[in-house]
Amino acid sequence: MNAFVSVPLRRHDDDLERQAIYWLVKLQSQPDNFDLQKRCNAWRHERAEHEQAWQAVQQTSGLLRQNIARLPAEDKKTYVHALKYAGTNLERRKNMGRLAAFFLVAAPVGWFTERHLPWERWRADYATETGQQRDIELPDGTLLTLNTDSAVRVRFSELQRTVLLDRGEVFIRAAAGGSSSPQLPLRVLTDQGLMEAPRADFAVRLLPRQASSRLSVQDGTVRMFPGWRDSSITRTATLAQADSTWFITRSGVQRQGLANHGQGLDPFSWTSGIMVVDDMKLTDFLAEVSRYRPGYLGWDDDLVNVRVSGTYRLADTTRLLALLVEALPIEVVTRTALWAYVRRASK
């Protein structure tokens, strides 16, 4: 069932910072492109806010370069120290986000950067580290549970109840609106879309590699609006009912079918500190485990045909891997406490 609704949305200043970062990185990669310089200057002079964002990003990137220059480049851990050092000279909530965002775009260092320099955590109102989960109660009684390595921002007022999911996954038990606006819906925003419900229990997870968000509804009904950033404020809603899972992209929504990734995973079991799976591909299972395990976890691609079922506790992933070795024809190779690789058992 579809319905037309009005969705008044306003872009946050973070968008201007991202635009400034985009121009800065483009100019650094093409220093002799005079047409690019002219277009950047035109953008800067288009609005006063553009120039302010440009100056802020310039200042942040300068501090970053100064501090990294003092450190041995071969030691990736030094990037963390550089970020912390530069952060002491900036307003933490506003500028650490810019600092890390610039670093991620301009100087990525693969897996280490993605796992250990997540700029979303620095600008978040609430965040978790790898392997950590956290419960938060919002002013209206809404309950949030953040999964591992997640970050959210919260915007609450008499006119809105909004949760912005910037990283990871969140389970939401949405309460009714306050006494002044009992019908005010709770909204969850991601880069791919908007989800809203007056009252419902549901989980939202970002899937960056698929450029999508996954919505799993446990109870109630959630309205979905894909691509809210890219088009008009009036659009058609798709309704997600209880016991359904959907994938949201900027161009549309699709209900999960039997062929979808993760079909054997209970999308709510993590809220109890466990992972419940039924006939799940081992490679998909290990990808889930890696979300809760600090360090690197890799595996052979030929394990894709191995299946796993059962209930596994997430608090101790080393023990979890040991249980897999007992049940399946696999072995785990470890080099350090933070490096593990799963492969077929040697004959």
Side-chain angles (χ1 to χ4, degrees):
M1 179 178 180
N2 292 333
F4 283 93
V5 299
S6 178
V7 185
L9 292 171
R10 177 179 175 273
R11 289 181 179 240
H12 193 263
D13 289 344
D14 294 339
D15 285 343
L16 294 182
E17 294 175 5
R18 294 189 187 197
Q19 292 175 39
I21 291 169
Y22 167 82
W23 284 115
L24 183 60
V25 173
K26 291 286 285 186
L27 288 173
Q28 289 189 343
S29 63
Q30 303 178 49
D32 298 325
N33 189 329
F34 296 107
D35 180 65
L36 184 64
Q37 294 175 19
K38 288 175 60 178
R39 288 189 286 124
C40 177
N41 288 335
W43 175 83
R44 289 171 56 186
H45 291 93
E46 191 175 66
R47 289 170 51 192
E49 293 87 346
H50 289 186
E51 180 63 19
Q52 292 171 2
W54 174 261
Q55 294 298 334
V57 169
Q58 283 274 55
Q59 176 192 16
T60 302
S61 64
L63 284 169
L64 180 64
R65 286 194 299 270
Q66 291 172 18
N67 288 288
I68 289 181
R70 302 190 184 104
L71 302 169
E74 68 275 6
D75 185 358
K76 291 179 179 178
K77 291 182 180 179
T78 58
Y79 290 114
V80 177
H81 300 308
L83 289 171
K84 290 181 178 178
Y85 181 88
T88 61
N89 297 287
L90 302 171
E91 295 176 46
R92 180 182 180 275
R93 286 294 304 278
K94 293 177 64 176
N95 292 306
M96 284 300 284
R98 300 190 190 112
L99 177 67
F102 173 81
F103 187 78
L104 286 173
V105 175
V109 288
W111 162 84
F112 179 85
T113 301
E114 180 181 354
R115 293 296 295 270
H116 296 279
L117 301 180
W119 65 275
E120 298 94 345
R121 285 196 203 129
W122 281 311
R123 69 172 182 172
D125 293 308
Y126 305 101
T128 55
E129 302 289 339
T130 299
Q132 179 188 16
Q133 294 177 346
R134 182 180 179 185
D135 296 322
I136 303 110
E137 182 173 359
L138 300 182
D140 67 341
T142 292
L143 300 178
L144 306 183
T145 300
L146 292 186
N147 202 0
T148 175
D149 190 18
S150 299
V152 297
R153 289 171 288 153
V154 177
R155 303 288 182 263
F156 265 57
S157 69
E158 294 182 356
L159 300 177
Q160 69 169 332
R161 299 194 299 155
T162 303
V163 175
L164 298 96
L165 179 60
D166 290 321
R167 185 179 181 91
E169 184 172 18
V170 61
F171 176 80
I172 299 174
R173 180 157 290 163
S179 57
S180 60
S181 303
Q183 300 304 315
L184 188 66
L186 178 79
R187 288 175 171 171
V188 180
L189 301 183
T190 70
D191 279 344
Q192 290 76 37
L194 177 153
M195 292 137 275
E196 67 174 21
R199 296 188 67 175
D201 297 347
F202 59 100
V204 181
R205 175 176 169 182
L206 299 183
L207 302 171
R209 293 185 179 180
Q210 288 80 32
S212 67
S213 302
R214 189 185 73 189
L215 168 68
S216 300
V217 184
Q218 187 177 62
D219 185 57
T221 301
V222 179
R223 293 187 291 270
M224 299 176 289
F225 303 88
W228 64 272
R229 288 179 181 269
D230 304 324
S231 55
S232 65
I233 62 174
T234 301
R235 57 173 58 253
T236 303
T238 301
L239 300 186
Q241 305 287 352
D243 299 320
S244 67
T245 294
W246 297 75
F247 294 93
I248 305 170
T249 67
R250 291 186 176 181
S251 59
V253 300
Q254 181 178 4
R255 186 166 182 171
Q256 175 174 286
L258 293 178
N260 286 111
H261 163 77
Q263 68 185 55
L265 173 66
D266 183 332
F268 306 108
S269 59
W270 64 266
T271 61
S272 300
I274 59 177
M275 187 158 57
V276 178
V277 297
D278 180 23
D279 195 35
M280 190 176 186
K281 293 179 181 178
L282 179 58
T283 51
D284 291 343
F285 179 82
L286 292 173
E288 290 296 316
V289 173
S290 69
R291 299 174 60 211
Y292 301 89
R293 182 179 175 84
Y296 172 77
L297 175 62
W299 52 87
D300 282 345
D301 291 338
D302 66 358
L303 296 176
V304 67
N305 294 322
V306 180
R307 298 282 176 162
V308 59
S309 299
T311 299
Y312 299 86
R313 299 194 64 83
L314 296 170
D316 187 348
T317 56
T318 299
R319 174 59 180 161
L320 187 157
L321 293 175
L323 291 174
L324 288 181
V325 170
E326 294 176 5
L328 300 172
I330 61 173
E331 61 184 10
V332 178
V333 179
T334 58
R335 293 181 179 174
T336 70
L338 296 177
W339 194 98
Y341 193 87
V342 182
R343 64 189 185 190
R344 288 190 179 273
S346 303
K347 295 182 179 179

